[in-house]
């Protein structure tokens, strides 16, 4: 189970303590106000595998639990950059974040940096039991690992071709798309998605891509962006995003349908 909080709408996980002390010097009629804020680290993503869980956040913050979240301890991280997402296959753990940051724990409990080959922001990571892993990020970043995150290669496709609807509107792709969703399934198929309301599926580990959902846009405006995705073991799942956008699948992401919602806020 993963909880991912987009950077534009961070949920505070602890209350902010703020106190103000004021004193008045009657003799010179000056007010002196001294304020003290207690900052709290923010966590952006958490994932569980049975009773073991890990949460990552800003400034190199990694918290781990082995008792289903009853207690947490801070884990040593070889970075002070923010980590935006974390994934686990039950043995290996991978965290990603700012400036192309990738951290890997091979099961020893020690995190290490590995080379990503990019300095772009990495937004979500997933891997399966066989060690196949994918990362999506800013401006078309798409990375693949076949060894549980030890080494990575860029496998970004021709985005312009994938975003061409066949109706002459390729101009909608003003920049390489930023993707926020990635799901690596046990059979080696992969789902990615994000900007322009599009979800793509690869049946062969990122070699070929098919468009499995494209949300319609109104009056030439870009379709809303997808931000989060979750699919159960039985194949049922949802993808959610801007303007109340919800899409549902019942077959592990091979096909999707739009779900009308009574809200227009970001999900």
């Amino acid at each position: 189970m993963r909880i991912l909080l987009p950077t534009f709408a961070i949920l505070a996980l602890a209350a902010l303590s703020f106190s103000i002390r004021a004193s008045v010097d009657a003799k010179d009629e000056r007010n002196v106000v001294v304020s003290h804020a207690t900052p709290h680290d923010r966590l952006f993503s958490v994932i569980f595998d049975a009773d073991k869980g890990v949460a990552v956040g800003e400034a190199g913050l990694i918290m781990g639990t082995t008792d289903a979240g009853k207690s947490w301890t801070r884990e040593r991280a070889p970075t002070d950059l923010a980590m935006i997402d974390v994934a686990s296959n039950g043995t290996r753990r991978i965290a990603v974040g700012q400036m192309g940051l990738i951290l890997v724990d091979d099961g020893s409990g020690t995190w290490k940096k590995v080379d990503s080959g990019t300095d772009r922001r990495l937004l979500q990571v997933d891997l399966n039991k066989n060690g196949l892993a994918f990362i999506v990020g800013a401006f078309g970043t798409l990375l693949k690992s076949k060894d549980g995150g030890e080494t990575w290669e860029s496998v970004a496709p021709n985005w312009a071709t994938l975003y061409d609807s066949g109706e002459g509107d390729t101009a909608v792709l003003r920049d390489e798309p930023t993707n926020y969703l990635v799901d690596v399934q046990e059979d080696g198929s992969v789902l990615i998605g994000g900007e322009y309301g599009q979800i793509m599926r690869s049946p062969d580990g990122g070699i070929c891509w098919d468009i499995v959902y494209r949300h319609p846009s109104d009056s030439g405006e870009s379709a809303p962006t997808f931000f989060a995705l979750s699919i159960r073991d039985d194949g049922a799942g949802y993808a959610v995003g801007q303007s109340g956008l919800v899409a549902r699948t019942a077959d592990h992401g091979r096909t999707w349908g739009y779900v009308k919602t009574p809200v227009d806020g970001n999900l």
Side-chain angles (χ1 to χ4, degrees):
M1 177 181 65
R2 173 190 284 121
I3 299 172
L4 175 63
L5 307 182
T7 54
F8 70 86
I10 300 170
L11 176 65
L13 301 180
L16 180 66
S17 170
F18 188 83
S19 62
I20 298 178
R21 294 186 293 110
S23 63
V24 178
D25 187 333
K27 186 175 181 179
D28 57 17
E29 297 181 348
R30 291 183 302 173
N31 290 337
V32 179
V33 178
V34 180
S35 64
H36 297 280
T38 302
H40 290 272
D41 294 322
R42 292 175 291 186
L43 295 168
F44 299 138
S45 180
V46 60
I47 192 166
F48 277 85
D49 181 61
D51 287 345
K52 293 182 179 180
V54 60
V56 298
E58 63 184 4
L61 178 61
I62 303 178
M63 302 294 292
T65 178
T66 58
D67 56 10
K70 296 182 179 69
S71 62
W72 295 81
T73 57
R74 183 157 188 166
E75 299 184 12
R76 190 185 201 102
T79 184
D80 58 2
L81 294 174
M83 287 162 286
I84 299 170
D85 192 40
V86 62
S88 170
N89 65 1
T91 302
R92 303 181 68 88
R93 303 183 295 175
I94 303 173
V96 301
Q98 292 180 316
M99 300 297 294
L101 174 68
I102 301 177
L103 300 184
V104 175
D105 170 18
D106 61 7
S108 64
T110 300
W111 293 91
K112 65 178 181 180
K113 282 185 183 180
V114 299
D115 182 23
S116 68
T118 181
D119 62 359
R120 289 180 172 175
R121 180 172 294 186
L122 305 180
L123 298 171
Q124 195 167 110
V125 57
D126 197 24
L127 75 162
N128 66 15
K129 300 293 185 184
N130 295 323
L132 178 65
F134 276 77
I135 296 171
V136 292
F139 303 114
T141 302
L142 181 63
L143 306 179
K144 175 182 178 179
S145 172
K146 294 183 287 187
D147 54 12
E150 295 293 330
T151 59
W152 295 87
E153 62 175 328
S154 173
V155 291
N158 184 335
W159 296 115
T161 300
L162 283 171
Y163 283 80
D164 180 5
S165 69
E167 300 177 358
D169 61 353
T170 53
V172 71
L173 191 62
R174 301 179 185 91
D175 298 293
E176 292 180 310
T178 293
N179 287 304
Y180 296 87
L181 314 180
V182 62
D183 182 79
V184 181
Q185 300 181 2
E186 294 306 320
D187 65 357
S189 60
V190 184
L191 292 164
I192 61 174
E195 286 191 310
Y196 308 110
Q198 190 158 297
I199 300 173
M200 291 150 285
R201 180 179 183 271
S202 172
D204 50 18
I207 298 173
C208 300
W209 293 94
D210 300 314
I211 300 167
V212 291
Y213 184 83
R214 176 184 277 147
H215 194 71
S217 57
D218 296 325
S219 304
E221 298 293 326
S222 296
T225 296
F226 281 108
F227 288 131
L229 166 70
S230 181
I231 299 178
R232 297 188 316 211
D233 291 341
D234 64 1
Y238 290 87
V240 301
Q242 287 179 318
S243 304
L245 176 60
V246 176
R248 185 182 187 276
T249 181
D251 54 11
H252 296 277
R254 293 178 179 85
T255 60
W256 293 83
Y258 172 65
V259 179
K260 188 174 182 179
T261 62
V263 297
D264 58 6
N266 294 328
L267 304 175

